[in-house]
């Protein structure tokens, strides 16, 4: 396929977009398994012939690694330990900082995360589907890749909380630790949801790209309006579905290179998105604190996602040049291959490092008695570079030791248990349920065990053999999951379905 005139060259190759020839055995197989939906949700031939589906893009790889780094750094800056009248106090160090709201306009990168996730999901599902992998097979593959590292990380957190309890740590400290550890897990549940929705969401995008975006935008705006009119904040959590599925759709547009051709037009889009967001914040519709707008998510994140998508499109050529540098490529590749491990384990590392500061403040150990600087004081800010170096080093060590659950080849799937639509959907629902239990309980030991059991059951359901037409897929190792470009046609030849 030829790229459209006026487009800059991109580091990618075309992915086949025509469905494989029909095999009579496929229909026989579907008839025998009439209780499960194994046909692709939409024929790949429905993708317009003029649309070029990108494969691997160094700009996406680098932006993804950068987003994850921002998350770790932001959470590290929030760690605050001081000495109160009753002993050490754990608190959010950035709470009360006058510059926090402007800071969130740079640090709130979750919309870009989901844009890049949509890009990668489009690439991977298109590649797998063109080789005969069904919708349920795709979901099962992704759930296995997602839930293995999650299971290990959550088990480790439950163990740490149990040890703290057995050692006689005050209950309020254990509760605070559990609450902090549970906060980032919302992403795991939403990511499982958006991953499971990829086949249907992509089918809707292929049939009517503008209508699918418009419908999700209307639903997200309606939730905000009803929430504001009724004062019922809980209604806003419906936008965990609508907002993030909408932002994921933006990634589909990016993967098909549907962005405006002119850089001036893209810049105007960025200005319009950020300008509209700033105006709505000024009138009190949304908060200038874009982290506040995350819980529950609101339409502010949609506008932010449009702005971030436009900025990414503008800076993509520079990002590709940076990614071509060997050291940058190596670091980004290391992070992306272990992305879910970094995300799931970094908060546990931060809690343990905060525990070290508690011991220091309490006069325990060789550094015991050292005076900790007042939060947000000049001395505190001066120590942040050293603190961040320690955090990054500790996270890197822990991730190196634990990433085998994400990077190692999967155990062979059971060829006698092909994963149908019901099992794949139930796997995702159990993963989401496990996260909800943990979030509702604030990561108590009991809640953690129940959540762990749900996720383990979801992983078990996804551990059968995914169906490829009338055949079954072979298991192959693949790259990172947040999101993965492991099936990029630009880096490896066609082969059996991979995770």
């Amino acid at each position: 396929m030829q790229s459209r005139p006026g487009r800059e060259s991109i580091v990618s190759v075309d992915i086949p977009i025509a469905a494989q020839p029909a095999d009579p055995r496929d229909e026989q197989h579907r008839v025998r398994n009439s209780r499960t939906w194994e046909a692709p949700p939409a024929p790949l031939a429905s993708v317009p012939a003029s649309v070029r589906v990108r494969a691997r893009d160094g700009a996406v790889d680098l932006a993804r690694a950068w987003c994850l780094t921002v998350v770790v750094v932001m959470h590290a800056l929030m760690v605050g330990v001081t000495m109160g009248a009753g002993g050490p106090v754990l608190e959010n160090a950035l709470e009360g900082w006058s510059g926090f709201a402007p800071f969130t306009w740079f640090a709130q990168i979750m919309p870009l995360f989901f844009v890049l996730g949509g890009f990668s999901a489009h690439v991977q599902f298109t590649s797998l589907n063109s080789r005969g992998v069904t919708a349920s097979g795709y979901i099962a593959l992704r759930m296995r890749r997602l839930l293995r590292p999650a299971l290990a990380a959550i088990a480790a957190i439950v163990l740490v909380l149990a040890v703290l309890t057995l050692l006689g740590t005050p209950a309020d400290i254990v509760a605070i630790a559990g609450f902090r550890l549970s906060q980032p897990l919302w992403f795991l549940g939403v990511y499982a949801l958006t991953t499971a929705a990829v086949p249907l969401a992509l089918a809707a995008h292929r049939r009517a790209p503008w209508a699918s975006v418009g419908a999700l935008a209307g639903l997200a705006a309606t939730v905000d309006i009803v929430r504001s009119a009724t004062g019922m904040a809980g209604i806003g959590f419906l936008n965990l579905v609508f907002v993030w599925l909408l932002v994921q759709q933006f990634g589909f547009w990016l993967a098909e290179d549907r962005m405006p051709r002119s850089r001036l037009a893209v810049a105007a889009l960025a200005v319009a998105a950020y300008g509209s967001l700033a105006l709505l914040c000024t009138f009190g519709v949304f908060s200038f604190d874009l982290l506040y707008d995350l819980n529950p998510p609101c339409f502010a994140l949609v506008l932010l996602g449009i702005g971030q998508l436009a900025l990414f499109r503008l800076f993509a050529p520079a990002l590709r040049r940076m990614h071509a540098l060997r050291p940058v490529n190596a670091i980004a590749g290391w992070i992306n291959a272990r992305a879910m491990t970094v995300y799931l384990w970094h908060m546990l590392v931060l809690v343990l490092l905060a525990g070290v500061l508690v011991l220091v403040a309490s006069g325990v150990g060789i550094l015991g008695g050292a005076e900790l600087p007042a939060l947000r004081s000049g001395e505190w800010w001066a120590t942040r570079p050293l603190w961040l170096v320690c955090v990054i080093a500790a996270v890197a060590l822990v991730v190196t030791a634990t990433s085998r659950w994400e990077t190692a080849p999967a155990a062979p799937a059971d060829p006698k248990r092909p994963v149908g639509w019901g099992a794949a959907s139930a796997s995702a629902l159990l993963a989401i349920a496990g996260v909800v239990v943990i979030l509702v309980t604030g990561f108590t030991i009991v809640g953690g065990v129940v959540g762990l059991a749900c996720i383990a059951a979801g992983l078990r359901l996804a551990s059968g053999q995914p169906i490829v037409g009338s055949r079954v897929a072979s298991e192959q190792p693949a790259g990172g999951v947040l999101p993965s470009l492991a099936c990029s046609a630009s880096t490896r030849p066609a082969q059996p379905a991979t995770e």
Side-chain angles (χ1 to χ4, degrees):
M1 244 182 281
Q2 299 295 323
S3 60
R4 283 182 270 175
R7 296 285 187 184
E8 67 207 24
S9 61
I10 59 176
V11 186
S12 66
V13 299
D14 294 342
I15 290 177
I17 60 173
Q20 291 181 335
D23 186 335
R25 295 173 298 174
D26 292 352
E27 182 60 31
Q28 296 171 6
H29 173 82
R30 285 192 285 273
V31 170
R32 289 195 303 267
N33 294 273
S34 59
R35 293 185 181 181
T36 59
W37 171 50
E38 293 302 341
L44 289 171
S46 64
V47 180
S50 61
V51 171
R52 184 184 186 192
V53 179
R54 297 183 181 185
R56 189 136 196 152
D57 191 335
V60 171
D61 289 350
L62 186 55
R64 182 179 57 192
W66 172 251
C67 286
L68 191 56
T69 303
V70 169
V71 169
V72 174
V73 168
M74 180 176 63
H75 288 162
L77 290 175
M78 289 180 173
V79 175
V81 179
T82 56
M83 284 298 296
V89 178
L90 297 174
E91 56 184 304
N92 182 349
L94 298 183
E95 188 174 350
W97 176 37
S98 60
F100 185 70
F103 171 72
T104 63
W105 284 64
F106 300 95
Q108 176 52 282
I109 44 70
M110 276 300 164
L112 183 57
F113 250 136
F114 281 92
V115 170
L116 301 178
F119 175 99
S120 298
H122 188 304
V123 168
Q124 188 172 56
F125 183 73
T126 300
S127 177
L128 289 171
N129 198 216
S130 69
R131 286 181 269 147
V133 176
T134 60
S136 62
Y138 168 82
I139 295 170
L141 288 166
R142 299 312 299 148
M143 286 301 108
R144 287 204 294 277
R145 196 70 190 175
L146 173 65
L147 299 184
R148 282 199 303 266
L151 200 64
I154 293 172
I157 293 172
V158 171
L159 179 61
V160 167
L161 293 177
V163 169
L164 290 175
T165 302
L166 291 174
L167 292 176
T169 306
D172 58 335
I173 296 295
V174 176
I176 291 174
F179 175 72
R180 296 300 181 192
L181 289 168
S182 70
Q183 284 182 310
L185 290 179
W186 71 267
F187 178 83
L188 175 63
V190 174
Y191 190 74
L193 169 68
T194 56
T195 297
V198 163
L200 290 175
L202 191 50
H205 167 78
R206 285 167 175 164
R207 291 192 181 102
W210 283 106
S212 58
V213 165
L216 288 170
L219 289 168
T222 299
V223 169
D224 280 357
I225 293 171
V226 173
R227 174 190 170 194
S228 176
T230 63
M232 299 174 63
I235 293 176
F237 287 101
L238 289 173
N239 270 340
L240 285 169
V241 178
F242 303 137
V243 164
W244 297 125
L245 284 179
L246 173 56
V247 177
Q248 178 180 252
Q249 290 271 329
F250 299 159
F252 297 164
W253 286 65
L254 180 65
E256 294 180 356
D257 206 15
R258 290 177 181 265
M259 295 290 292
R261 299 185 180 188
S262 166
R263 291 178 63 84
L264 182 60
V266 176
L269 179 63
V271 170
Y274 277 101
S276 300
L277 179 57
L279 187 64
L280 291 170
C281 290
T282 300
F283 283 101
V285 177
F286 304 123
S287 170
F288 275 106
D289 178 353
L290 295 182
L291 288 185
Y292 177 84
D293 291 329
L294 183 66
N295 187 30
C298 60
F299 205 84
L301 300 177
V302 176
L303 295 174
L304 183 61
I306 295 172
Q308 290 176 339
L309 170 60
L311 289 179
F312 171 80
R313 184 69 176 81
L314 285 173
F315 289 102
L319 291 174
R320 292 185 191 110
R321 289 192 294 270
M322 291 178 61
H323 187 263
L325 300 175
R326 183 170 298 179
V328 176
N329 188 306
I331 294 172
W334 189 91
I335 294 173
N336 288 328
R338 299 159 179 82
M340 186 55 70
T341 304
V342 173
Y343 187 86
L344 290 171
W345 285 83
H346 81 277
M347 189 59 77
L348 178 58
V349 173
L350 289 175
V351 167
L352 294 176
L353 289 177
V356 172
L357 293 180
V358 168
L359 295 177
V360 170
S362 302
V364 178
I366 58 175
L367 296 178
E371 185 177 351
L372 298 177
L375 300 183
R376 300 178 299 279
S377 65
E379 184 182 0
W380 185 85
W381 283 110
T383 59
R384 288 315 87 188
L386 177 59
W387 168 249
L388 291 178
V389 169
C390 293
V391 166
I392 291 173
V395 170
L397 286 173
V398 171
V399 168
T400 300
T402 59
S403 61
R404 63 182 179 275
W405 285 289
E406 182 171 4
T407 59
D414 185 355
K416 297 180 181 179
R417 291 195 313 110
V419 179
W421 178 247
S425 301
S427 173
L429 289 174
L430 281 167
I432 295 168
V435 171
V436 170
V437 169
I438 292 173
L439 291 176
V440 169
T441 61
F443 221 138
T444 61
I445 295 176
V446 173
V449 170
V450 174
L452 197 63
C454 290
I455 292 172
L459 180 58
R460 174 62 180 166
L461 281 175
S463 294
Q465 194 75 291
I467 298 171
V468 183
S470 62
R471 307 173 302 282
V472 290
S474 62
E475 293 276 336
Q476 300 285 344
V481 71
L482 187 57
S484 173
L485 286 173
C487 297
S488 170
S490 63
T491 57
R492 58 183 71 183
Q495 57 183 336
T498 61
E499 288 187 47

